[in-house]
Amino acid sequence: MPTVSAPDLRRHERFRSAMLPDARDLVVYVPPGYDESGARYPVLYLHDGQNVFEGGTAHVKGSYWRAGEAADDLTARGAIAPLIMVGIGHAGPRRIDEYTPTATRRQGGGKADAYGRMLIEEIKPFIDATYRTRPGPADTALGGSSLGGLVSLYLGLTRPDVFGRLAVLSPSVWWDRRVILRDVRSARPKPPLRIWLDMGTAEGRRAIENVRLLRNGLARAGWVEGDDLHYEEVDGAAHNEEAWAARFPRVLEWLLK
């Protein structure tokens, strides 16, 4: 059998920000033939970067999204055009703060705007300067799961001039009495966002109820399923990296149409 090469990953360790106190690693996936092609590529930024490309850095060792393998396979089969992906490491104990748009008395939070500024004003310019990207919003996607899904939707709604495509997997709609539903209602005019939204049926009754409310809110705001919104309840899927890895190839195919 032919040898399958590992995804081409390039590391930028301990990236420092003026917006937030914690340094974090960036891991950049480039498509096969990147160095020789001379082409420019769309970019997908992914939160919780420790869980995206490598099992050794994942929260549960060995359990990760296999994002690089998925993109290599889809590209080789012609299912998607080549892309660059950037895994942004979370800040450990301050992850909840950075991935939430509002502060609560019990759980803290409320640093999503600062996190978004770091991404938009520091990380994205660095990536655009270092790699051959297509930097416009139509070619810039943002994605994550759980609180990473929440912050992806929040930043997409607030900065559609930067992000045009969102992968919102198993989002934490529950945060601060479902404040994200208010953000969807107040997004006027409707931003030109292409959104993948999902939840696993094994994530709990409340999670399904909440994501249906979010789906309905997006529909009322003008998103259309089958056009600029994909909504899915993934049968039997739990709230973990393996479940997100299993559907990530389909996320890429739909998101990058």
Side-chain angles (χ1 to χ4, degrees):
M1 295 180 63
T3 301
V4 178
S5 60
D8 188 346
L9 303 178
R10 307 185 182 191
R11 293 169 177 80
H12 304 276
E13 296 181 346
R14 298 195 60 76
F15 184 92
R16 301 293 315 190
S17 170
M19 313 294 175
L20 292 165
D22 296 287
R24 66 204 69 222
D25 294 345
L26 307 179
V27 179
V28 180
Y29 160 92
V30 297
Y34 171 84
D35 290 325
E36 299 78 28
S37 72
R40 292 189 172 272
Y41 299 93
V43 183
L44 169 58
Y45 293 90
L46 292 164
H47 312 295
D48 289 316
Q50 292 93 331
N51 299 327
V52 172
F53 296 118
E54 299 170 293
T57 61
H59 177 67
V60 177
K61 299 302 182 187
S63 181
Y64 67 109
W65 285 32
R66 300 185 288 277
E69 291 89 338
D72 276 358
D73 176 64
L74 291 167
T75 301
R77 293 192 284 110
I80 63 170
L83 80 157
I84 292 169
M85 295 185 288
V86 181
I88 306 166
H90 65 67
R94 280 189 273 268
R95 174 182 180 269
I96 290 177
D97 289 342
E98 294 185 357
Y99 287 4
T100 51
T102 56
T104 68
R105 181 177 300 177
R106 291 182 58 189
Q107 295 173 294
K111 300 292 186 182
D113 287 320
Y115 178 77
R117 287 191 62 196
M118 177 188 70
L119 177 53
I120 293 165
E121 299 177 25
E122 296 175 326
I123 293 177
K124 186 177 185 299
F126 170 74
I127 295 297
D128 289 338
T130 307
Y131 296 90
R132 297 192 311 275
T133 68
R134 300 208 299 258
D139 292 305
T140 305
L142 186 64
S145 59
S146 193
L147 287 173
L150 175 69
V151 75
S152 295
L153 181 55
Y154 174 74
L155 292 177
L157 292 171
T158 55
R159 293 302 305 270
D161 58 313
V162 178
F163 306 108
R165 300 168 187 261
L166 307 177
V168 182
L169 284 69
S170 304
S172 299
V173 182
W174 55 266
W175 178 264
D176 195 8
R177 301 180 182 181
R178 301 183 294 217
V179 67
I180 193 65
L181 301 181
R182 182 196 67 194
D183 295 326
V184 170
R185 287 194 299 270
S186 62
R188 296 291 185 273
K190 171 185 168 287
L193 299 170
R194 182 173 176 83
I195 302 174
W196 170 289
L197 174 64
D198 69 25
M199 187 69 69
T201 61
E203 297 189 58
R205 177 180 59 83
R206 184 63 58 84
I208 291 290
E209 291 173 351
N210 283 341
V211 80
R212 288 174 181 172
L213 290 173
L214 178 54
R215 183 268 319 270
N216 294 344
L218 290 167
R220 283 192 295 271
W223 277 271
V224 177
E225 284 191 59
D227 182 9
D228 55 0
L229 173 65
H230 175 92
Y231 174 73
E232 184 172 339
E233 296 176 11
V234 186
D235 188 43
H239 194 86
N240 58 41
E241 313 305 330
E242 289 299 322
W244 298 319
R247 60 191 188 257
F248 186 67
R250 292 190 295 110
V251 174
L252 280 180
E253 284 193 79
W254 189 86
L255 198 67
L256 298 174
K257 281 184 180 178

